[in-house]
């Protein structure tokens, strides 16, 4: 079930009405929201509801056991079971075909007598997100950062809550579970913020991302030499806008719908393309994933505590695995290594130079040069991320070279959308929060009328059909 569809609109209106009708009936409300979340997930494929249920119950039981036991070695064994369970599910459904195909390719290359049968596994939507969320729950209990939840219903709802189930954000137990122990209140601030975020997310997805993707990005990736180098270059930048508007739109809608139901989620994007360093980019892009990789992978590997070289290796390994998390393909591994090597080189230069941030920024031109470098390396990574394979990626990069050709795609409308998408990155910090607060001060009727009018206008000016969110495939 896609967010920007009539089906989801009807579903959410029913859930919103029923959830607030059950205000004061805590148990019934949580049961209803859990059932609604499983319906939302099963709407795509009913068979995988069982997978979500088994994953949730297994991690609930392991978390409860870890929270009860006192012997560290026993707790460590159960933690290992939880990690193996979640990684095992992820590896089977997401990487089995990739690993078997790669093994056969290596066997043929070395003329080895090995031929493994290839199995085609259907990838459950959102498995990368809910397995990471379940794993972090058990790890946090083991570390003492969260208490084991005694209610299986709360764990089922925590892992399956429909706004963030399919494509995040990856919510921590410490952020969400305590909210299930108190009855949500229908507060004007939260309602206004929720409606504002949902409308903003729909605008970014349906209007900016859909038009740029359908009229520009898809065409240059399919046949880059049919278009002028300038169109290809700006098309690469357009894809940077597309993936930002697409994914941040999902996060905005998820956070907004959760707020409308009385729950608070942390922000997942913070104007990532204004970053002046690769480290800052990852503090702003997909924050729930980048902090997850930091807390549950980079720091356990040793972070930078075991020397500079080990720190660089840990950065590379973390981002490589982060790339692999996105998909079972060499292009995602390359994308992860590109970001890992950029982070490692950046840290190495900082370690070598030992220059303070103030000194480095003393030259007025330096921040601009740093922004140009970071943004273009990020866009280079997006080329491989978006391309079907390496051949298509290198073909598009080759199409950037000067040659005689006429402009075919560029129009004031598309350039305006590209400019609007980039302008969102450089709005004053805090402006969005101010606008949300301002909107929430309107009377409820005015908020409803404004939202309804906005949706009617957006529906009238939007392209036919809505493509699935990009991160659905992960």
């Amino acid at each position: 079930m896609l967010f920007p569809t009539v089906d989801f609109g009807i579903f959410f209106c029913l859930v919103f009405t029923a959830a607030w009708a059950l205000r004061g009936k805590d148990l019934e409300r949580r049961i209803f929201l859990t059932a609604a979340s499983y319906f939302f997930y099963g709407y795509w494929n009913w068979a995988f509801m069982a997978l979500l249920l088994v994953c949730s119950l297994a991690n609930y039981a392991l978390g409860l056991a870890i929270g009860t036991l006192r012997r560290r070695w026993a707790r460590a064994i159960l933690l290992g079971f939880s990690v193996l369970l979640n990684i095992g599910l992820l590896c089977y459904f997401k990487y089995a075909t990739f690993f078997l195909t790669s093994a056969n390719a290596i066997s043929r290359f070395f003329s080895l007598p090995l031929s493994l049968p290839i199995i085609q596994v259907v990838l459950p939507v959102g498995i990368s997100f809910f397995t990471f969320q379940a794993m972090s729950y058990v790890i946090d209990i083991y570390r003492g950062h969260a208490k084991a939840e005694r209610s299986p219903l709360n764990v089922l709802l925590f892992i399956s809550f429909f706004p963030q189930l399919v494509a995040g954000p990856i919510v921590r137990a410490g952020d969400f579970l305590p909210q299930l122990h108190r009855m949500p209140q229908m507060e004007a601030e939260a309602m206004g913020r929720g409606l504002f975020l949902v409308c903003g997310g729909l605008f970014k997805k349906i209007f900016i991302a859909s038009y740029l993707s359908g009229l520009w990005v898809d065409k240059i990736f399919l046949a880059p030499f049919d278009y002028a180098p300038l169109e290809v270059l700006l098309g690469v930048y357009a894809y940077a806008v597309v993936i930002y508007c697409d994914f941040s739109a999902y996060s905005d809608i998820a956070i907004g719908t959760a707020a409308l139901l009385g729950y608070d989620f942390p922000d997942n994007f913070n104007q990532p393309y204004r970053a002046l360093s690769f480290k800052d980019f990852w503090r702003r892009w997909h924050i729930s994933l980048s902090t997850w990789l930091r807390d549950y992978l980079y720091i356990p590997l040793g972070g930078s505590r075991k020397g500079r070289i080990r720190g660089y290796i840990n950065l590379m390994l973390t981002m490589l695995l982060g790339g692999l998390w996105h998909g079972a393909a060499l292009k995602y591994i390359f994308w992860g290594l590109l970001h890992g090597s950029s982070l490692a080189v950046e840290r190495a230069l900082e370690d070598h130079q030992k220059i303070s941030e103030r000194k480095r920024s003393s030259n007025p031109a330096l921040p601009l040069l740093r922004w140009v470098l970071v943004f273009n390396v990020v866009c280079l990574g997006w080329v491989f991320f978006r391309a079907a394979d390496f051949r298509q990626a290198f073909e598009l990069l080759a199409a950037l070279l000067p040659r005689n050709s006429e402009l075919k795609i560029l129009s004031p409308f598309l350039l305006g959308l590209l400019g609007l998408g980039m302008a969102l990155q450089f709005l004053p910090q805090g402006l969005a929060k101010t606008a949300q607060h301002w909107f929430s001060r309107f009377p409820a009727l005015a908020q409803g009328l404004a939202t309804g009018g906005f949706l009617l206008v957006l529906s009238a000016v939007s392209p036919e059909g809505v493509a699935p969110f990009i991160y659905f495939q992960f």
Side-chain angles (χ1 to χ4, degrees), residues 122-411:
V122 178
L123 178 65
V125 169
I127 189 170
S128 296
F129 289 91
F130 70 72
T131 51
F132 267 33
Q133 189 153 314
M135 196 165 18
S136 70
Y137 165 69
V138 178
I139 294 173
D140 283 350
I141 294 173
Y142 177 81
R143 292 176 174 177
H145 297 166
K147 292 184 178 180
E149 180 59 60
R150 296 196 171 274
S151 167
L153 177 62
N154 283 355
V155 176
L156 290 178
L157 180 55
F158 161 65
I159 295 176
S160 70
F161 192 40
F162 72 88
Q164 49 78 49
L165 172 61
V166 173
I170 304 170
V171 182
R172 304 286 182 93
D175 291 328
F176 188 52
L177 284 175
Q179 298 184 58
L180 299 181
H181 289 277
R182 57 181 183 268
M183 179 58 66
Q185 300 298 316
M186 185 179 281
E187 300 174 348
E189 184 77 21
M191 296 297 107
R193 176 174 182 257
L195 288 174
F196 189 93
L197 285 170
V198 168
C199 289
L202 290 173
F203 177 75
K204 285 191 289 185
K205 167 61 180 175
I206 297 177
F207 193 71
I208 300 178
S210 293
Y211 271 123
L212 282 178
S213 183
L215 298 180
W216 195 348
V217 173
D218 292 346
K219 292 180 179 179
I220 67 160
F221 273 88
L222 182 62
F225 283 100
D226 288 351
Y227 305 97
L230 179 61
E231 292 176 316
V232 177
L233 176 63
L234 293 179
V236 171
Y237 297 153
Y239 180 67
V241 169
V242 166
I243 195 169
Y244 165 76
C245 286
D246 187 283
F247 193 21
S248 69
Y250 190 97
S251 294
D252 287 347
I253 298 171
I255 296 168
T257 52
L260 289 170
L261 293 172
Y263 302 106
D264 183 49
F265 283 177
D267 293 336
N268 203 30
F269 287 86
N270 180 22
Q271 299 177 305
Y273 295 145
R274 71 183 299 157
L276 301 183
S277 68
F278 297 104
K279 179 171 64 176
D280 191 34
F281 173 80
W282 281 104
R283 287 174 176 169
R284 296 170 176 273
W285 177 271
H286 199 349
I287 299 168
S288 63
L289 175 63
S290 61
T291 54
W292 198 102
L293 293 172
R294 179 197 67 197
D295 295 342
Y296 301 107
L297 186 57
Y298 175 70
I299 292 177
L301 285 172
S304 58
R305 302 187 306 273
K306 298 185 177 180
R308 293 180 182 178
I309 301 301
R310 177 67 179 273
Y312 306 151
I313 293 174
N314 289 340
L315 274 175
M316 295 282 291
L317 183 59
T318 298
M319 294 310 300
L320 185 151
L321 293 175
L324 192 59
W325 175 86
H326 284 85
L330 292 176
K331 65 173 188 171
Y332 294 120
I333 294 176
F334 176 84
W335 177 80
L337 285 174
L338 176 65
H339 277 278
S341 59
S342 299
L343 287 165
V345 169
E346 181 177 83
R347 178 174 294 181
L349 291 173
E350 290 177 353
D351 291 342
H352 177 70
Q353 295 171 356
K354 298 293 184 183
I355 300 176
S356 68
E357 190 71 23
R358 182 177 300 175
K359 270 189 169 183
R360 274 189 286 151
S361 301
S362 59
N363 184 341
L366 192 54
L368 177 60
L369 293 175
R370 291 169 60 193
W371 177 81
V372 169
L373 173 64
V374 171
F375 180 66
N376 280 280
V377 171
V378 169
C379 288
L380 173 63
W382 289 142
V383 170
F384 290 88
F385 193 93
R386 167 61 175 78
D389 48 35
F390 281 109
R391 183 199 61 78
Q392 188 181 68
F394 285 117
E395 183 179 4
L396 185 137
L397 294 176
L400 294 172
L401 297 175
R403 51 192 164 82
N404 293 324
S405 55
E406 296 181 356
L407 298 177
K408 298 178 181 178
I409 291 180
L410 286 183
S411 68

Side-chain angles (χ1 to χ4, degrees), residues 98-111 114 118:
F98 174 72
F99 289 148
L100 291 171
T101 303
S102 299
N104 285 340
I106 293 172
S107 175
R108 288 193 299 271
F109 182 81
F110 290 103
S111 301
L114 175 67
I118 303 300

